[in-house]
Amino acid sequence: IMLIKVNDTFGIKVLMHDNWILSNSFDVPYLGPYIYKILILNNLKESTKKTHLRNIGYFYDFIEKNFNIHGDKIIFTTDVNFGFKCFQAFFMHLDNAFLDNEDKKYAIWVSATDYWEKISFLRQQHYNSKDLEKLKDSFNKIQELLSYLKNPKPKKTYKIRDIGQDSISILDHNLDPSSELNPFKNLKAKWTYYIAYLILSMVGVRRGEVLNLCLNDIKTGEFFDDKEKIFIRKDWINIVEHKDCYDTRYSKPNIKNNNSIRQIPITEELYQLIHIYIEGYRPKTTSPFLLISLQGKPLSPESLNKNFKKIYQSLPFNLKQKLVDMNKLKNLTPHNLRHTSATSDLKHLIELYPEEHCFQIMRIIYGWGEKSSMPQYYAKQGYLNKYQDRIDEFNTARIKDIKEVVDHEKN
């Protein structure tokens, strides 16, 4: 097994093989963090896993330097008192080491204590009943220590970056490969970014998901409808991992978590447009990925972001100013289209189904967890948009009456 040495911000040696693995100074991987990563952190995105493992690495480094023991001993010993003593010392160290960074102090402590508690729970059969009670008591005392650390600043309210249907209508026209307003010169580039735009805005996938799509993820088929007694065509895309595909990109797109793996229905028209691109305008390549650059390589996140700035510039000045005034958007990103798609979908769903039913549909389609609060954010924006539509209708009628008064007075 080849292991690549990397030094992180704490000076802890980290070995990377597929995913992050902590090791000691002799390059021997720690068993505890590896078990924790596989069994506990498995459903989290890679950046979150890395953060937790770095925090645990900081804890292990403290244990080895101050207690002169192998880091794994803290979880594989049945000496509960020793474990609690280590955490008391680590608490005092954190409180002094991060006087100016309360958020970092809190995050490291939560990662380290959760790690000890979860791994100890997995090993509870190795404790007798008396030691098990001591262990539970230690966990309670550790949670009390947590209250002495300041909580991190509350997260800002999640802002929906919906660009609005008026901007979508303009972009639909501008990005048509035959449009004179298309911001790209090369015909194949026009088609590549048109297809990327359509999938992002109509299906609402994440940036990493659209860049991770392979040719065989675009599906169609006929299914027999027992109720109607006819065959019905269905088109869809599969959002799946492609770890076995050779990917030359420096920043490799990935699937966020297990909830992201899903099937999403698409229209027949979108399916046909994708195949027009594949058969006639997709640059020549041996790569299995759908979106290809003019160099014949899989389209990178950096290229997609860069060219979305060019797409933003194709919007008329008044629409760009509206995006700044309403949503403080001074640019366009792929994720803005996900927000716009989700807001539009939910706006229509709430006219058909009870609210919680709508939320569950959204969680499935958009790849959120079953208890995710994300649909509520989009519901708020959807209700506001719906309210604005009705206000516009109402005011249009009023303006008509007012105009009649003005015309009467002029005459």
Side-chain angles (χ1 to χ4, degrees), residues 205-224:
V205 295
R206 300 177 177 94
R207 182 190 67 175
E209 292 169 350
V210 72
L211 293 175
N212 199 52
L213 283 174
C214 284
L215 297 176
N216 60 3
D217 292 330
I218 316 300
K219 301 290 187 180
T220 188
E222 289 194 343
F223 300 85
F224 187 74

Side-chain angles (χ1 to χ4, degrees), residues 128-375:
N128 58 45
S129 58
K130 187 177 180 180
D131 284 339
L132 196 57
E133 286 301 316
K134 283 185 180 180
L135 188 66
K136 291 178 181 178
D137 185 55
S138 295
F139 291 152
N140 291 333
K141 289 179 180 178
I142 284 174
Q143 291 305 317
E144 289 176 11
L145 289 175
L146 182 64
S147 65
Y148 291 98
L149 294 176
K150 286 186 177 180
N151 290 337
K153 296 176 183 177
K155 292 183 179 180
K156 294 180 180 179
T157 304
Y158 195 85
K159 180 67 176 176
I160 302 301
R161 304 291 185 181
D162 174 13
I163 67 171
Q165 292 305 308
D166 46 358
S167 296
I168 289 293
S169 297
I170 295 294
L171 291 175
D172 283 348
H173 177 264
N174 289 0
L175 293 179
D176 181 333
S178 62
S179 172
E180 295 180 358
L181 297 175
N182 194 296
F184 302 99
K185 294 180 180 179
N186 184 283
L187 184 58
K188 289 185 177 181
K190 289 180 179 182
W191 270 94
T192 297
Y193 286 99
Y194 182 53
I195 294 301
Y197 161 75
L198 288 179
I199 295 174
L200 287 162
S201 61
M202 295 181 72
V203 187
V205 295
R206 300 177 177 94
R207 182 190 67 175
E209 292 169 350
V210 72
L211 293 175
N212 199 52
L213 283 174
C214 284
L215 297 176
N216 60 3
D217 292 330
I218 316 300
K219 301 290 187 180
T220 188
E222 289 194 343
F223 300 85
F224 187 74
D225 188 313
D226 288 330
K227 186 176 181 181
E228 300 293 335
K229 303 301 180 185
I230 58 172
F231 282 94
I232 297 177
R233 173 178 173 144
K234 293 184 180 180
D235 304 278
W236 71 95
I237 60 174
N238 288 334
I239 305 297
V240 294
E241 292 274 17
H242 288 297
K243 291 183 177 179
D244 296 334
C245 291
Y246 179 63
D247 193 343
T248 58
R249 289 172 284 200
Y250 176 76
S251 301
K252 294 176 175 56
N254 53 52
I255 301 302
K256 188 173 183 180
N257 52 46
N258 285 349
N259 293 315
S260 303
I261 298 174
R262 61 201 190 278
Q263 291 184 344
I264 311 176
I266 61 175
T267 64
E268 182 178 344
E269 290 75 17
L270 179 55
Y271 176 88
Q272 291 171 345
L273 279 172
I274 292 172
H275 271 270
I276 290 172
Y277 165 69
I278 292 171
E279 294 167 8
Y281 300 101
R282 182 171 174 264
K284 290 184 179 180
T285 182
T286 57
S287 173
F289 292 100
L290 172 66
L291 297 173
I292 300 296
S293 70
L294 292 179
Q295 291 72 38
K297 298 178 180 179
L299 193 64
S300 69
E302 293 82 4
S303 293
L304 189 64
N305 286 347
K306 178 182 177 181
N307 284 297
F308 256 69
K309 294 179 181 178
K310 188 181 292 188
I311 292 171
Y312 171 77
Q313 293 304 323
S314 73
L315 288 171
F317 174 79
N318 65 316
L319 273 182
K320 286 190 282 189
Q321 189 60 48
K322 180 181 176 182
L323 293 177
V324 172
D325 294 341
M326 294 189 68
N327 289 329
K328 298 181 179 179
L329 287 178
K330 297 181 180 180
N331 210 333
L332 181 66
T333 69
H335 207 69
N336 293 145
L337 298 183
R338 176 172 166 84
H339 284 215
T340 306
S341 173
T343 302
S344 177
D345 282 352
L346 195 50
K347 178 183 174 183
H348 293 97
L349 283 171
I350 56 182
E351 296 177 354
L352 301 173
Y353 305 108
E355 190 176 76
E356 188 51 44
H357 190 174
C358 296
F359 292 169
Q360 198 53 38
I361 293 173
M362 293 290 289
R363 291 181 185 111
I364 294 170
I365 296 299
Y366 283 85
W368 295 315
E370 61 179 26
K371 295 182 180 179
S372 172
S373 60
M374 287 304 300

